[in-house]
Amino acid sequence: MSNASFIVVANRLPVDSVVDDEGNRTWRRSPGGLVTALEPVLQANSGTWIGWAGTAGEAPDAFESDGVTLMPVPLSEQEVLRYYEGFSNASLWPLYHDAVEPRVFRRSWWKSYYEVNERFADICAREAAPGAVVWVQDYQLQLVPGMLRERRPDLRIGFFLHIPFPPVELFMQLPHRMEILKGLLVGFQRPLAAQNFLALTRHLLGYRPRGHYVNVDDRLVRADAFPISIDTAHNEEVAGTERVRQRAKEIRAELGEPETIILGVDRLDYTKGIEQRLKAFRELLEDGRLQVPNAVMVQVATPSRERVDQYMKLRERVERQVGRINGEYGQVGLPAVHYLHQSFDRYELAALYQAADVMAVTPLRDGMNLVAKEYVASRVDNRGALVLSEFAGAAGDLRQAFLVNPHDLTDLKDGFVTAANAPLDDKMKRMRAMRRYLRKHDVSRWARSFLTALGVPERSAAYNPGSPPAEV
Ligand code: ADQ
């Protein structure tokens, strides 16, 4: 048994493998909010992060990075197909997002999901010091808490679900629903998700939840909301640089100095409502409520899950739609929709956020949505307007946004026009209030509150301002 007293278990390690021209592998830290929030806790507790390195085949040996041990978990090509792309992303992901796309179930996917979860649990059980704290992340690893409890009853185990948790009727469709439910001990993004979970423990397992707690055997399990956030200070710092300010001006100039730039930044995922958003924009052009070149849309769609069938089809549909809008409403050198199927660094994203008059965050369903929070934090000038879906967890935090129902096209269209035409002082008032909120409720507060609930002493969960992404 090893001596890790604090372990994070996540599908992915917080690093990407980079292979140079000579075939040598190095690691580049992926600058996610989770890493920034957890790094100080991991460092203070000689922590370990267990996760997949992102490529199929043998896993490299464990290695150290800034006082944190990173422990890669191997996945075969078939497991990537079945556990990751199959059960995680074609069964669970759509089902948990209100089944906005049909979910697919295959028995071979479940078997692989089970086996991979066992592998994560075995490694964690081997590495954890007596009484260690283990924090398991997200829907790919829902069986790990239960498996770990069997192997190591001495551990303190927390689980955080980054995506919505479905209502009883939907969860009931899931094959192996009992195994999944029994494995969970949980933190959620929103109170409704915690309520859904507690209702299910009553319905399927016959438990009697009281408030946020439920007694399971001799343990008291807490199911509660811990809305995740961003590293607000870091976002503000990047947004305040001269480089970003200049680039934002350049972007506006490159787009032809329009009056209204509507921006969307999403992983190319059907839960994000990109098709509905494009349709709303097209209808606004058709109705003459918006006109090119006074109004343009920029849609950044980050490549995502590109081998999953539903994602390939979505990409085709979105690109066809963009082509159609530009064909009908674009002018020479002035497209109506600027579509970018690319990833960008934090500076370019911040510049895009700062250049946008209206930020369109209109998912059909979303656990939280960090883009909405990043946009607000990046508006150090207090300008701009956020149009936000009621179905994003972020709507519970960013209450001064222009809230819309993305399933209702009329509401979506009105939301864009209202946000674009709102008086400047109204927009600035809203932005200031949301920025104030995010300064207080940042990602380190999120991690702290979860870990405190789990019994980790406050001191070791202390915040240490994040350093910029580094080579490791
Ligand atoms: P996601 O579904 O991935 O996260 P989101 O919360 O918006 O959604 O996070 C996306 C992240 O990717 C943001 O930090 C954003 O800046 C970044 N990003 C997007 N497009 C990019 C691009 N083109 N280039 C570079 N970076 C880009 C899941 C859940 C969410 C939940 C988070 C965290 O689905 O609901 O908020 O986990 O819990």
Side-chain angles (χ1 to χ4, degrees):
M1 199 178 292
S2 160
N3 63 351
S5 59
F6 182 67
I7 300 185
V8 170
V9 188
N11 174 57
R12 281 297 309 272
L13 283 175
V15 287
D16 293 317
S17 130
V18 183
V19 179
D20 68 16
D21 295 344
E22 273 128 49
N24 304 315
R25 181 175 3 214
T26 52
W27 299 95
R28 190 189 302 279
R29 176 118 23 116
S30 22
L34 198 60
V35 195
T36 314
L38 295 181
E39 198 158 47
V41 198
L42 283 158
Q43 285 167 346
N45 295 283
S46 57
T48 295
W49 188 304
I50 297 172
W52 176 43
T55 43
E58 281 187 19
D61 290 338
F63 56 98
E64 288 271 318
S65 152
D66 290 341
V68 177
T69 306
L70 301 184
M71 184 154 297
V73 177
L75 290 188
S76 68
E77 182 60 41
Q78 195 181 62
E79 284 167 345
V80 176
L81 277 170
R82 293 179 174 177
Y83 146 79
Y84 179 67
E85 293 172 356
F87 199 77
S88 297
N89 289 325
S91 308
L92 291 173
W93 178 269
L95 189 74
Y96 281 28
H97 286 89
D98 284 356
V100 292
E101 277 276 309
R103 74 284 170 292
V104 184
F105 297 128
R106 300 232 172 98
R107 276 169 289 188
S108 59
W109 291 355
W110 163 257
K111 188 166 173 286
S112 177
Y113 184 82
Y114 190 92
E115 287 165 2
V116 171
N117 272 249
E118 258 188 331
R119 187 171 313 144
F120 274 82
D122 283 338
I123 296 175
C124 185
R126 191 186 70 209
E127 296 301 321
V133 171
V134 178
W135 192 1
V136 184
Q137 309 286 326
D138 228 358
Y139 63 102
Q140 303 94 346
L141 300 177
Q142 288 177 102
L143 303 176
V144 171
M147 291 171 166
L148 208 47
R149 169 88 34 222
E150 271 174 26
R151 288 160 174 74
R152 292 286 306 273
D154 60 304
L155 301 178
R156 201 161 251 284
I157 305 168
F159 177 84
F160 184 75
L161 187 70
H162 290 255
I163 67 176
F165 191 76
V168 176
E169 319 78 90
L170 275 176
F171 189 85
M172 294 296 279
Q173 294 180 10
L174 195 60
H176 305 282
R177 59 198 186 193
M178 296 288 262
E179 280 111 306
I180 288 182
L181 196 59
K182 275 187 176 165
L184 291 179
L185 322 148
V186 239
F188 298 97
Q189 300 274 29
R190 306 294 332 159
L192 197 61
Q195 282 162 27
N196 284 344
F197 172 79
L198 289 166
L200 263 163
T201 64
R202 185 196 299 271
H203 190 77
L204 268 182
L205 306 174
Y207 294 158
R208 295 202 178 153
R210 269 199 216 112
H212 298 299
Y213 293 89
V214 57
N215 262 326
V216 181
D217 307 325
D218 55 347
R219 286 175 301 121
L220 194 60
V221 174
R222 175 169 169 187
D224 215 338
F226 299 88
I228 201 168
S229 195
I230 54 166
D231 184 351
T232 311
H234 184 61
N235 274 269
E236 285 187 342
E237 194 187 309
V238 170
T241 57
E242 191 49 34
R243 170 179 167 190
V244 166
R245 263 201 294 268
Q246 277 309 326
R247 180 66 192 133
K249 274 195 200 140
E250 249 173 63
I251 291 172
R252 290 197 72 93
E254 282 164 7
L255 293 172
E257 301 288 355
E259 272 163 35
T260 306
I261 298 172
I262 302 177
L263 173 67
V265 174
D266 313 82
R267 267 189 315 100
L268 188 47
D269 193 298
Y270 49 81
T271 59
K272 303 290 182 186
I274 300 169
E275 291 173 275
Q276 289 74 3
R277 190 183 306 156
L278 286 167
K279 185 151 192 235
F281 184 61
R282 192 180 80 81
E283 285 196 10
L284 286 170
L285 296 175
E286 192 174 85
D287 302 342
R289 292 170 78 189
L290 292 179
Q291 277 159 350
V292 180
N294 289 342
V296 297
M297 183 164 182
V298 177
Q299 177 63 54
V300 177
T302 324
S304 182
R305 304 175 191 169
E306 292 188 284
R307 299 196 311 178
V308 179
D309 189 47
Q310 285 162 323
Y311 289 76
M312 292 192 262
K313 290 192 177 127
L314 171 72
R315 181 173 175 189
E316 276 167 24
R317 291 198 304 270
V318 165
E319 293 183 354
R320 206 175 315 128
Q321 223 179 338
V322 170
R324 183 172 163 202
I325 300 174
N326 284 337
E328 286 175 4
Y329 297 99
Q331 299 168 14
V332 174
L334 291 171
V337 180
H338 296 251
Y339 170 77
L340 301 157
H341 185 247
Q342 296 163 36
S343 280
F344 293 109
D345 65 26
R346 300 318 302 174
Y347 288 88
E348 184 69 6
L349 271 186
L352 280 162
Y353 290 147
Q354 240 171 61
D357 303 290
V358 175
M359 182 77 212
V361 179
T362 57
L364 302 174
R365 199 82 174 91
D366 216 332
M368 178 52 60
N369 196 294
L370 298 180
V371 168
K373 293 188 170 180
E374 289 165 5
Y375 176 69
V376 170
S378 302
R379 293 314 306 234
V380 285
D381 54 358
N382 293 319
R383 288 171 182 249
L386 173 64
V387 174
L388 180 60
S389 163
E390 291 163 12
F391 296 88
D397 294 342
L398 305 175
R399 293 169 184 273
Q400 293 80 7
F402 294 88
L403 292 178
V404 291
N405 172 3
H407 301 273
D408 175 352
L409 212 60
T410 308
D411 195 43
L412 197 53
K413 287 165 65 181
D414 290 346
F416 288 150
V417 173
T418 310
N421 296 337
L424 183 60
D425 59 343
D426 175 37
K427 287 192 283 198
M428 290 181 87
K429 212 165 104 197
R430 290 169 186 255
M431 200 54 82
R432 264 195 219 103
M434 292 191 286
R435 286 186 60 210
R436 251 197 317 273
Y437 181 88
L438 287 182
R439 283 214 197 103
K440 254 189 160 175
H441 299 82
D442 66 359
V443 71
S444 69
R445 177 171 167 146
W446 165 79
R448 232 170 19 234
S449 64
F450 189 95
L451 292 172
T452 306
L454 200 55
V456 179
E458 176 84 15
R459 190 170 37 85
S460 53
Y463 179 59
N464 174 3
S467 47
E471 296 276 332
V472 288

